[in-house]
Amino acid sequence: MSTQLMTQDAAASTLVAYAFGGGMGASEGKSVMYSLISETPSVFAWWAALEDSDGPPIPVDRYLIEIDRRSREVSPPKQVQIPETELAEAILAATGQRLASSARFTDGLLSISYKVTVQDDPDVAYVVQLRHFGQVTSMDSLICWISMNIDPRILPVPPVYPIPGEGQRQEALGNGRQITRFIPGEMAFPIYPTLPPDQRLILVRKVALAFQACWQIPMPEPHVIGELIADEGEVGGFRIGPDRHRDLGGPFSSVREYLRAYLRYSFVTLEKQNGIDEYKEWFQTRIKGFIDQHLDDIPLVVEDIPIVAMHTDMGLHNIIISSETPTEIRAIIDWEFVASAPYASLHSMIENLFREQAPNQFGPEFDRADELRDAFWDSIPDWKRCNQSTATKEYLEWFRFGEFMKPEAPMDDNMSEEEKRAFWAENIRVVEGMLNKYESIWSGGRCMPVFRHLATECQAI
């Protein structure tokens, strides 16, 4: 038996092998979805599921699986669920109503969900979610603040019903339960690409105003970068904690320090990525040299970019639109990832509003994409002006270098090199452009890029 403790990467590989080996049921034609729940000196605990690679988004059984770090043994899977008796107790405690029925509902990546009805009001339904990542009491407090302070026509959120004592329960068990009102409608993600161009224009303007409403949430001074936390029982009592989304550390009082941490993280994810051997041969050594030698050369001007509150996963998959009027936003959901960060960190998420969905995460532009892009930014003109600032342009150059450093693995293992280059075209363009630009600057010896510090270009809005 090895005396060394198992690493998280090794445990993840063991988990995937276990799942594909039939440990969680038949795996043919399925993919393994997993998320680390907890880590102790002796055990890694995971939630894992097998999902149809090309099937519809339906609820799937998720399992708790523990891996002993010393023996490497995998525990038998235990299904993750909320028993009906527990659902009934939670609904009664949070809403004062009695459970009538419950059924599994559409899951998030880091949660399982139930749709429940109550005996007291047949016209009302709730969604109960079991979450292991988001701090449920913080999410509830933030959503309550939004519902009381922001026009629901601009930033609609589902009503929340906090469960008494849930903060202590989550701290003890590692997962928390959240109850929200069920909002009828459709997820925008599959509908948006099918809308006529004029309707897409209407919807994208509304989405822009929702982004702006988030960015205008009052933040504690001084503005720092990290996870935005709304303290339980103190509606509007916000504070900033370390970044848990990517485990970067912090909070960061400097934008440059945040970018350095993000770029180091991005390089680690590149090293771990499978299925991109050719790309690694082309770029990994050069990128490592860049990371090792030149992160101190991030220009000072990036410190001027506005740091704002943001829902970091506010894509079309978390926007509910009306089934009858698809240009009407009914609710923005899943406030699990909320941050205080430079507003331009959402550039790619916003850019996806103007592009078709694609496996490489950078699909071709829609017809009239420039019109969509203009409609978005013209709806929030202060931020459009901010896009033109030196601070934003420099920040985006470095941030997108991190975003596109690791490409997606091709779905087809038989792709030719030419086809892979086409699949990774945007990754190559961004990474090669950054490396070539700064390698040419440094080719005659270390040379700091010279940038004018324009503190007045983009004031905090």
Side-chain angles (χ1 to χ4, degrees):
M1 181 185 297
S2 172
T3 58
Q4 282 193 327
L5 291 179
M6 195 179 208
T7 65
Q8 182 179 326
D9 290 341
S13 297
T14 297
L15 175 67
V16 171
Y18 175 81
F20 280 130
M24 293 161 48
S27 61
E28 185 176 352
K30 296 183 178 181
S31 57
V32 181
M33 305 295 292
Y34 60 92
S35 179
L36 182 67
I37 303 300
S38 64
E39 172 186 353
T40 70
S42 58
V43 171
F44 285 113
W46 309 81
W47 276 6
L50 288 170
E51 298 187 353
D52 289 330
S53 301
D54 300 317
I58 59 174
V60 296
D61 290 335
R62 299 195 179 197
Y63 297 92
L64 173 66
I65 297 176
E66 295 183 344
I67 301 178
D68 189 289
R69 298 185 65 181
R70 195 169 298 280
S71 69
R72 274 61 171 170
E73 290 183 0
V74 181
S75 72
K78 299 177 183 178
Q79 187 172 352
V80 179
Q81 57 184 332
I82 305 179
E84 187 159 299
T85 54
E86 186 179 326
L87 284 171
E89 292 170 357
I91 287 291
L92 182 62
T95 70
Q97 297 179 316
R98 296 168 296 163
L99 182 73
S101 67
S102 66
R104 284 293 304 278
F105 192 55
T106 304
D107 294 330
L109 179 62
L110 303 176
S111 65
I112 64 170
S113 304
Y114 297 81
K115 181 180 177 183
V116 304
T117 60
V118 292
Q119 300 175 30
D120 311 77
D121 190 343
D123 295 326
V124 171
Y126 300 94
V127 176
V128 184
Q129 292 179 287
L130 185 65
R131 298 181 177 276
H132 77 80
F133 187 90
Q135 298 181 36
V136 167
T137 55
S138 174
M139 296 169 65
D140 288 348
S141 295
L142 175 62
I143 292 172
C144 285
W145 186 93
I146 291 171
S147 65
M148 290 189 295
N149 291 277
I150 298 179
D151 188 336
R153 294 169 298 181
I154 294 175
L155 187 59
V157 291
V160 293
Y161 302 86
I163 304 170
E166 194 61 19
Q168 294 88 335
R169 180 189 176 280
Q170 183 169 11
E171 187 173 344
L173 299 181
N175 55 65
R177 301 163 302 176
Q178 184 180 43
I179 299 177
T180 59
R181 179 77 63 88
F182 170 72
I183 305 297
E186 305 286 343
M187 287 296 180
F189 183 73
I191 306 298
Y192 180 80
T194 69
L195 293 177
D198 289 344
Q199 289 191 4
R200 274 206 297 264
L201 285 168
I202 295 171
L203 184 56
V204 85
R205 292 186 181 102
K206 294 181 178 179
V207 173
L209 293 174
F211 271 89
Q212 176 175 255
C214 285
W215 297 345
Q216 292 175 334
I217 292 174
M219 300 281 286
E221 297 284 354
H223 290 187
V224 296
I225 300 171
E227 180 181 16
L228 177 62
I229 301 168
D231 288 322
E232 183 180 10
E234 296 184 22
V235 176
F238 302 134
R239 59 186 172 89
I240 311 302
D243 175 280
R244 290 192 308 130
H245 186 188
R246 302 183 180 94
D247 201 21
L248 298 183
F252 298 94
S253 58
S254 161
V255 175
R256 285 172 294 172
E257 282 301 314
Y258 169 70
L259 281 171
R260 289 171 191 135
Y262 176 64
L263 290 167
R264 292 187 187 103
Y265 159 86
S266 298
F267 183 70
V268 170
T269 64
L270 169 64
E271 290 181 306
K272 293 179 180 179
Q273 177 74 312
N274 295 318
I276 60 168
D277 291 346
E278 294 92 340
Y279 181 91
K280 288 182 177 180
E281 289 175 10
W282 303 334
F283 294 111
Q284 185 166 323
T285 299
R286 290 176 68 191
I287 293 172
K288 185 177 188 304
F290 186 103
I291 297 295
D292 289 344
Q293 299 175 41
H294 298 301
L295 294 189
D296 287 341
D297 297 319
I298 298 172
L300 181 64
V301 71
V302 300
E303 301 293 349
D304 293 332
I305 193 168
I307 296 171
V308 299
M310 61 175 64
H311 181 329
T312 61
D313 198 21
M314 206 168 87
L316 294 168
H317 57 289
N318 280 326
I319 298 176
I320 298 176
I321 57 177
S322 167
S323 302
E324 294 77 26
T325 309
T327 57
E328 177 191 342
I329 298 177
R330 299 294 312 279
I332 293 172
I333 63 171
D334 205 2
W335 293 77
E336 198 156 26
F337 296 111
V338 184
S340 166
Y343 85 100
S345 304
L346 296 179
H347 176 269
S348 288
M349 184 172 295
I350 293 169
E351 188 66 19
N352 284 339
L353 296 169
F354 321 132
R355 295 181 176 275
E356 298 176 16
Q357 300 153 19
N360 65 359
Q361 306 303 313
F362 195 80
E365 291 190 338
F366 286 121
D367 290 339
R368 299 168 63 180
D370 286 341
E371 198 173 345
L372 282 170
R373 198 173 282 109
D374 288 343
F376 183 96
W377 291 109
D378 286 344
S379 299
I380 48 175
D382 288 341
W383 297 98
K384 181 178 181 179
R385 285 191 294 273
C386 204
N387 287 344
Q388 303 307 312
S389 71
T390 304
T392 296
K393 291 177 180 178
E394 293 298 336
Y395 178 84
L396 273 177
E397 180 177 56
W398 289 82
F399 187 80
R400 294 189 83 242
F401 176 55
E403 269 194 316
F404 286 91
M405 190 182 294
K406 176 190 72 67
E408 297 296 320
M411 301 290 287
D412 183 358
D413 294 335
N414 298 316
M415 272 189 181
S416 66
E417 180 175 316
E418 183 179 353
E419 289 171 326
K420 289 179 179 178
R421 284 188 178 275
F423 186 76
W424 295 327
E426 185 64 8
N427 302 87
I428 292 171
R429 188 190 71 80
V430 171
V431 169
E432 198 162 47
M434 186 74 165
L435 295 175
N436 289 344
K437 173 180 176 178
Y438 285 93
E439 285 172 350
S440 66
I441 291 174
W442 298 313
S443 60
R446 184 172 177 81
C447 177
M448 287 288 289
V450 177
F451 296 99
R452 195 161 47 98
H453 189 84
L454 299 179
T456 60
E457 273 197 323
C458 184
Q459 300 290 341
I461 296 172

